[in-house]
């Protein structure tokens, strides 16, 4: 693979390979935290452009940290301060970045499919940092890594994904990755926020959160994506919390040691209570830490061929 535009199209062994590569960087980052940096500069001399057309905290910063730890020259392009605001098209922007001879483009865009469009036009490796409702592959990889490390394995784990599934690229990429790795995935949402024919993705559909939670190993909560609602009925925050909010009482329906996850940004008091988000079962900050390792792995693996090192899978 030249690019990482989605989990779709990856074989289970390729997903597992990226997780194994990320494990290496989890350990390396531990050494970094202890002040024992080794020579990691395998991306020295390469230029990484992070082009973000949509807001981000976690993804942008972790891609920047990951690139810098690997020695790349990292440049961030924020659409709000760019010529996109003067009407430059996506393709013209992509060709401009290509002409600057970037080696890696990391792109976030509000339109589903925009990253693939750019990937087809440029010479360098492209990584999808989230495109519309479509995919957020590095989020799914960091979530899978968190589950594998905390629960020992992914296969057979009952994972409940609850919230605004209709608009969620995180949910889509997670469903693709977790079903490929043989987890039992349950999805739960009000019917207005459930993707049509979601069962075809190999998941079980619930509208009753209490029923979905029975025996869960992992509970992954999603926020209401208000910026992507397009006129359909949307529950009020109070109504949503009542039926779909993860409260300490509700969490008792899952296994006693169930893992609580959230990709962020959280809307505390709506889809998740602070007592749960900050509680002993929460892996939310660990997810963020795994994000740096996963992104280091993806940057390393996708630039291997350009660096004359054997590629992946
Ligand atoms: N999880 C995630 O993509 O967060 P950001 O929008 O802050 O990058």
């Amino acid at each position: 693979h030249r690019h990482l535009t989605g989990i779709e199209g990856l074989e289970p062994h390729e997903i597992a390979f990226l997780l194994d590569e990320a494990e290496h960087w989890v350990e390396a980052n531990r050494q970094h935290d202890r002040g024992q940096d080794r020579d990691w500069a395998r991306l020295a001399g390469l230029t990484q452009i992070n082009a973000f057309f949509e807001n981000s905290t976690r993804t942008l910063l972790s891609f920047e940290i990951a690139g810098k730890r690997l020695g790349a020259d990292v440049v961030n392009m924020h659409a709000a301060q760019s010529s996109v605001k003067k009407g430059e098209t996506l393709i013209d922007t992509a060709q401009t970045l290509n002409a600057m001879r970037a080696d890696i483009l990391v792109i976030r865009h509000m339109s589903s499919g925009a990253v693939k469009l750019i990937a087809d036009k440029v010479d360098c490796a492209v990584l999808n940092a989230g495109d519309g409702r479509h995919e957020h592959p590095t989020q799914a990889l960091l979530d899978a890594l968190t589950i594998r490390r905390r629960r020992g394995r992914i296969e057979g784990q009952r994972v409940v994904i609850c919230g605004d599934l209709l608009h969620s690229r995180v949910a889509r990429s997670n469903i693709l990755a977790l079903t490929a790795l043989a987890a039992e995935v349950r999805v739960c949402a009000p019917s207005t926020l459930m993707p049509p024919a979601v069962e075809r993705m190999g998941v079980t559909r619930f509208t009753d959160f209490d029923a979905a939670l029975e025996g869960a190993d992992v509970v992954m909560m999603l926020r209401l994506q208000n910026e992507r609602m397009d006129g359909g009925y949307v529950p009020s925050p109070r109504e949503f919390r009542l039926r779909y909010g993860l409260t300490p009482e509700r969490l008792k329906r899952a296994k006693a040691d169930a893992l609580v996850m959230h990709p962020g940004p959280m809307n505390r008091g709506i889809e998740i209570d602070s007592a749960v988000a900050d509680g002993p079962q929460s892996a939310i900050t660990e997810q963020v830490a795994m994000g740096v390792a996963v992104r280091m792995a993806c940057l390393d693996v996708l630039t291997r061929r350009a660096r004359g090192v054997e590629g992946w899978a």
Side-chain angles (χ1 to χ4, degrees):
H1 302 275
R2 243 183 89 212
H3 308 297
L4 180 64
T5 55
I7 298 295
E8 192 165 25
L10 297 185
E11 298 291 335
H13 72 92
E14 293 173 324
I15 300 171
F17 168 76
L18 288 173
L19 298 184
D20 293 343
E21 290 288 315
E23 287 282 4
H24 163 79
W25 292 113
V26 172
E27 185 47 42
N29 282 330
R30 280 222 185 98
Q31 291 173 5
H32 170 89
D33 293 344
R34 290 197 293 261
Q36 303 167 330
D37 269 11
R38 286 176 306 180
D39 182 18
W40 293 353
R42 46 184 87 180
L43 300 198
L46 299 191
T47 301
Q48 173 187 334
I49 301 184
N50 300 325
F52 276 58
F53 297 83
E54 211 184 45
N55 292 347
S56 170
T57 299
R58 281 148 285 266
T59 312
L60 175 61
L61 290 179
S62 59
F63 263 117
E64 184 171 355
I65 291 167
K68 284 182 171 162
R69 277 195 192 161
L70 293 172
D73 297 317
V74 185
V75 187
N76 292 332
M77 192 205 91
H78 300 280
Q81 294 147 24
S82 74
S83 288
V84 170
K85 285 280 160 200
K86 300 176 195 163
E88 188 162 45
T89 66
L90 182 61
I91 299 294
D92 286 341
T93 304
Q95 281 168 349
T96 302
L97 300 179
N98 197 42
M100 290 180 191
R101 298 258 175 272
D103 299 287
I104 314 149
L105 274 180
V106 180
I107 300 167
R108 169 168 287 194
H109 200 277
M110 61 296 270
S111 299
S112 309
V115 177
K116 173 79 170 56
L117 196 72
I118 292 177
D120 291 342
K121 297 273 174 207
V122 298
D123 304 316
C124 63
V126 172
L127 280 98
N128 184 357
D131 63 330
R133 303 179 187 189
H134 176 229
E135 281 228 39
H136 192 349
T138 55
Q139 178 72 45
L141 291 171
L142 74 89
D143 289 337
L145 185 64
T146 306
I147 294 171
R148 195 171 82 168
R149 287 174 63 84
R150 285 286 288 263
R151 307 285 308 171
R153 64 198 165 88
I154 293 172
E155 185 180 353
Q157 294 287 299
R158 180 173 288 172
V159 183
V160 178
I161 306 177
C162 178
D164 177 2
L165 277 106
L166 182 64
H167 301 101
S168 176
R169 57 197 177 204
V170 173
R172 213 178 115 71
S173 290
N174 259 300
I175 290 170
L176 290 163
L178 293 172
T179 55
L181 299 173
E184 181 206 329
V185 181
R186 296 179 163 190
V187 296
C188 181
S191 51
T192 51
L193 295 177
M194 185 74 86
V198 72
E199 297 88 344
R200 285 196 208 142
M201 296 184 80
V203 300
T204 315
R205 159 200 189 114
F206 288 79
T207 47
D208 180 342
F209 191 23
D210 290 330
L213 282 170
E214 292 297 339
D217 296 286
V218 178
V219 187
M220 191 182 291
M221 299 304 298
L222 304 170
R223 73 185 171 91
L224 287 169
Q225 308 235 330
N226 289 311
E227 71 276 29
R228 287 187 233 288
M229 304 288 177
D230 44 14
Y233 170 75
V234 182
S236 69
R238 183 204 283 251
E239 199 182 352
F240 192 80
R241 179 181 186 278
L242 207 63
R243 290 195 57 199
Y244 297 100
L246 189 60
T247 59
E249 298 71 42
R250 256 203 188 114
L251 182 58
K252 288 182 188 145
R253 292 183 176 268
K255 284 190 181 159
D257 61 349
L259 208 58
V260 171
M261 300 176 69
H262 194 305
M266 286 187 277
N267 291 135
R268 288 171 181 264
I270 303 177
E271 76 273 8
I272 190 163
D273 278 13
S274 283
V276 177
D278 304 328
Q281 288 169 253
S282 173
I284 296 170
T285 51
E286 198 174 323
Q287 287 173 264
V288 177
M290 292 304 109
V292 176
V294 156
R295 284 158 186 141
M296 288 174 86
C298 292
L299 291 169
D300 173 32
V301 168
L302 283 174
T303 54
R304 278 185 190 172
R305 210 163 287 164
R307 291 184 280 125
V309 183
E310 202 175 319
W312 67 308

